Amino acid sequence: AQKVTQAQTEISVVEKEDVTLDCVYETRDTTYYLFWYKQPPSGELVFLIRRNSFDEQNEISGRYSWNFQKSTSSFNFTITASQVVDSAVYFCALSEETSGSRLTFGEGTQLTVNP
Amino acid sequence: DAGVIQSPRHEVTEMGQEVTLRCKPISGHNSLFWYRQTMMRGLELLIYFNNNVPIDDSGMPEDRFSAKMPNASFSTLKIQPSEPRDSAVYFCASSLRISNTGELFFGEGSRLTVL
């Protein structure tokens, strides 16, 4: 069975600090996909990134970066020089090749960036 | 382009009443998903459709819940009779294809309160 764990329920930082959100997953499939979504206070879910299980290259997009490590089943998300607008709930999600587009979400991490 | 459109955005009803939530997916998308978000259970997949056909409804809580997709541009999620424990935010999402390499585009959600 697939499972996603985000152990950090809440994180609070001061603007300009770097912050890393942890994500650990479980799956029996060799082919799977990992996602991060952002849910700002307005409530919508915004897609941030997708990685497949065969691509362990880290990715950087502006202030965002992702570290995918199959050896530890982790897909961590780092925000560099955080800003108040980064305040949101962040969800890590997993889908397995055998389960189609069914996304299993983690519990989410509430990030608060204070001025 | 318009995103996924859900209605109503907010609904308050009394226990026992019928509730119908509506969703218009992004034009051209052939997969549609209904998710429910609660504090206790996080984001759960209720059901998803591919080309208007229900593929997996194993997440539907019980017989009080039903979902239909009569055409490619419209879906409903109905709860009859509603109960207080159904209070949640219900999200509709669409995807270009059922392959799990595709990202899901979420609507803004329908916040349901059952008194």
Side-chain angles (χ1 to χ4, degrees):
Chain A
Q2 54 187 8
K3 184 180 179 182
V4 177
T5 302
Q6 295 178 254
Q8 304 151 306
T9 305
E10 296 182 26
I11 300 176
S12 183
V13 299
V14 176
E15 209 170 15
K16 298 184 183 177
E17 284 185 23
D18 298 347
V19 57
T20 295
L21 309 181
D22 297 334
C23 173
V24 174
Y25 62 92
E26 295 177 27
T27 177
R28 294 183 194 149
D29 280 22
T30 56
T31 302
Y32 52 90
Y33 301 83
L34 295 163
F35 303 78
W36 276 95
Y37 281 82
K38 174 182 180 180
Q39 187 175 39
S42 50
E44 74 273 23
L45 283 155
V46 179
F47 168 84
L48 295 178
I49 190 172
R50 173 190 64 244
R51 304 295 285 177
N52 72 60
S53 54
F54 299 109
D55 183 2
E56 284 192 74
Q57 272 196 329
N58 292 331
E59 183 156 338
I60 298 175
S61 176
R63 297 183 297 106
Y64 294 172
S65 61
W66 291 269
N67 183 0
F68 176 27
Q69 291 195 344
K70 288 179 75 171
S71 60
T72 56
S73 297
S74 65
F75 186 44
N76 297 337
F77 173 29
T78 297
I79 302 175
T80 303
S82 60
Q83 300 176 2
V84 173
V85 293
D86 296 328
S87 297
V89 181
Y90 291 86
F91 291 94
C92 182
L94 164 74
S95 70
E96 297 172 327
E97 178 79 353
T98 53
S99 62
S101 291
R102 186 187 186 105
L103 279 180
T104 296
F105 284 87
E107 305 89 337
T109 297
Q110 170 71 61
L111 173 65
T112 302
V113 181
N114 299 299
Chain B
D1 285 340
V4 176
I5 299 173
Q6 291 187 245
S7 65
R9 291 293 313 278
H10 302 274
E11 171 110 6
V12 180
T13 190
E14 293 187 347
M15 184 173 63
Q17 297 297 306
E18 177 179 295
V19 173
T20 299
L21 307 178
R22 298 172 177 80
C23 175
K24 177 179 169 55
I26 292 173
S27 178
H29 282 190
N30 60 2
S31 296
L32 183 140
F33 305 78
W34 283 100
Y35 279 85
R36 177 172 68 176
Q37 185 177 30
T38 61
M39 289 294 294
M40 293 296 294
R41 300 174 69 90
L43 276 158
E44 306 172 275
L45 176 65
L46 300 178
I47 184 171
Y48 73 90
F49 297 84
N50 187 41
N51 293 325
N52 313 338
V53 176
I55 302 300
D56 183 353
D57 65 354
S58 60
M60 296 285 263
E62 48 198 272
D63 292 345
R64 297 184 298 106
F65 285 69
S66 62
K68 294 182 180 179
M69 192 165 185
N71 57 62
S73 59
F74 184 66
S75 177
T76 59
L77 178 67
K78 186 176 292 187
I79 308 172
Q80 168 63 22
S82 58
E83 297 181 1
R85 59 189 168 129
D86 301 330
S87 298
V89 180
Y90 291 82
F91 286 99
C92 177
S94 69
S95 176
L96 183 57
R97 55 185 180 272
I98 198 169
S99 163
N100 48 19
T101 58
E103 69 180 89
L104 299 188
F105 293 81
F106 284 82
E108 293 182 319
S110 294
R111 182 175 294 276
L112 172 66
T113 302
V114 183
L115 303 175

